[in-house]
Coordinates of all heavy atoms in Angstrom, one line a residue:
Chain B
Y35 N 107.9 106.3 108.3 CA 108.6 105.5 107.3 C 109.4 106.6 106.4 O 109.0 107.7 106.4 CB 107.9 104.7 106.4 CG 107.2 103.5 107.1 CD1 105.9 103.7 107.6 CD2 107.6 102.3 107.1 CE1 105.2 102.6 108.1 CE2 107.0 101.2 107.8 CZ 105.8 101.4 108.3 OH 105.1 100.4 108.9
R36 N 110.5 106.1 105.8 CA 111.3 106.9 104.8 C 111.3 106.2 103.5 O 111.5 104.9 103.5 CB 112.5 107.3 105.3 CG 113.4 108.1 104.3 CD 114.8 108.5 105.1 NE 115.8 107.4 105.3 CZ 116.9 107.8 105.8 NH1 117.2 108.9 106.0 NH2 117.7 106.6 106.1
Q37 N 111.0 106.9 102.4 CA 111.1 106.2 101.1 C 112.0 107.0 100.2 O 111.7 108.2 99.8 CB 109.8 106.1 100.5 CG 109.7 105.3 99.2 CD 108.4 104.9 98.7 OE1 107.4 105.7 98.9 NE2 108.2 103.6 98.2
S38 N 113.1 106.6 99.9 CA 114.0 107.2 98.9 C 113.7 106.9 97.5 O 112.9 106.0 97.3 CB 115.5 106.8 99.1 OG 115.9 107.2 100.4
L39 N 114.0 107.8 96.5 CA 113.4 107.7 95.3 C 113.6 106.3 94.7 O 114.7 105.6 94.6 CB 114.2 108.6 94.2 CG 113.7 108.7 92.8 CD1 112.2 109.3 92.9 CD2 114.6 109.8 92.1
G40 N 112.6 105.6 94.2 CA 112.7 104.3 93.6 C 112.9 103.2 94.5 O 113.1 102.0 94.1
Q41 N 112.8 103.5 95.8 CA 113.0 102.4 96.8 C 111.8 102.1 97.6 O 110.7 102.7 97.6 CB 114.2 102.9 97.9 CG 115.5 103.3 97.2 CD 116.1 102.1 96.5 OE1 116.3 101.0 97.0 NE2 116.5 102.4 95.2
G42 N 111.9 101.0 98.5 CA 110.9 100.6 99.3 C 110.7 101.4 100.6 O 111.4 102.4 100.6
L43 N 109.8 101.1 101.5 CA 109.7 101.8 102.6 C 110.7 101.4 103.7 O 110.8 100.1 104.0 CB 108.2 101.7 103.2 CG 107.2 102.0 102.3 CD1 105.8 101.7 102.9 CD2 107.2 103.6 102.1
E44 N 111.3 102.3 104.3 CA 112.2 102.0 105.5 C 111.6 102.5 106.8 O 111.3 103.7 106.9 CB 113.5 102.9 105.2 CG 114.5 102.7 106.3 CD 115.7 103.7 106.0 OE1 115.7 104.5 105.1 OE2 116.7 103.6 106.9
F45 N 111.5 101.5 107.6 CA 110.8 101.9 108.9 C 111.7 102.7 109.8 O 112.9 102.6 109.7 CB 110.5 100.5 109.8 CG 110.2 100.7 111.2 CD1 108.9 101.1 111.5 CD2 111.1 100.5 112.1 CE1 108.7 101.3 112.9 CE2 110.9 100.7 113.5 CZ 109.7 101.0 113.9
L46 N 111.1 103.7 110.5 CA 112.0 104.7 111.3 C 111.6 104.4 112.7 O 112.4 104.2 113.4 CB 111.7 106.1 110.9 CG 112.2 106.4 109.4 CD1 111.9 107.9 109.2 CD2 113.7 106.2 109.3
I47 N 110.3 104.6 113.0 CA 109.9 104.5 114.5 C 108.4 104.2 114.6 O 107.7 104.6 113.6 CB 110.2 106.0 115.3 CG1 110.0 105.9 116.7 CG2 109.4 107.2 114.5 CD1 110.5 107.2 117.4
Y48 N 108.1 103.6 115.7 CA 106.7 103.2 115.9 C 106.2 103.6 117.2 O 106.9 103.4 118.2 CB 106.7 101.8 115.7 CG 105.5 101.0 116.4 CD1 104.2 101.2 116.0 CD2 105.7 99.8 117.0 CE1 103.1 100.5 116.6 CE2 104.7 99.1 117.6 CZ 103.4 99.5 117.3 OH 102.3 98.7 117.9
F49 N 105.1 104.3 117.5 CA 104.4 104.7 118.7 C 103.2 103.8 118.9 O 102.3 103.7 118.1 CB 104.0 106.1 118.7 CG 105.1 107.0 118.7 CD1 105.6 107.5 117.4 CD2 105.7 107.5 119.8 CE1 106.7 108.4 117.3 CE2 106.9 108.5 119.7 CZ 107.2 108.9 118.5
Q50 N 102.9 103.3 120.1 CA 101.7 102.5 120.4 C 101.3 103.0 121.7 O 101.9 102.7 122.7 CB 102.0 101.1 120.4 CG 100.8 100.2 120.9 CD 99.6 100.4 120.1 OE1 98.7 101.3 120.5 NE2 99.3 99.7 119.0
G51 N 100.2 103.7 121.8 CA 99.6 104.3 123.0 C 100.6 105.0 123.9 O 101.4 105.8 123.4
N52 N 100.7 104.6 125.1 CA 101.6 105.2 126.1 C 102.9 104.4 126.3 O 103.7 104.8 127.0 CB 100.9 105.4 127.4 CG 99.8 106.3 127.4 OD1 99.9 107.4 126.7 ND2 98.7 106.0 128.1
S53 N 103.1 103.4 125.4 CA 104.4 102.5 125.6 C 105.5 103.3 125.0 O 105.4 104.2 124.2 CB 104.1 101.2 124.8 OG 103.0 100.5 125.2
A54 N 106.6 102.8 125.4 CA 107.9 103.5 124.9 C 107.9 103.1 123.4 O 107.6 102.0 123.0 CB 109.1 102.8 125.6
P55 N 108.4 104.1 122.6 CA 108.4 103.9 121.2 C 109.4 103.0 120.8 O 110.5 102.7 121.4 CB 108.6 105.3 120.7 CG 109.3 106.1 121.7 CD 108.7 105.5 122.9
D56 N 109.1 102.3 119.6 CA 110.2 101.4 119.0 C 111.0 102.3 118.0 O 110.5 102.6 116.9 CB 109.5 100.3 118.3 CG 110.4 99.4 117.4 OD1 111.7 99.7 117.4 OD2 109.9 98.5 116.8

Side-chain angles (χ1 to χ4, degrees):
Chain B
Y35 296 89
R36 178 169 71 175
Q37 188 172 35
S38 300
L39 188 63
Q41 301 299 310
L43 297 177
E44 176 188 4
F45 167 79
L46 298 178
I47 189 168
Y48 161 52
F49 295 91
Q50 172 57 265
N52 295 321
S53 303
D56 176 355

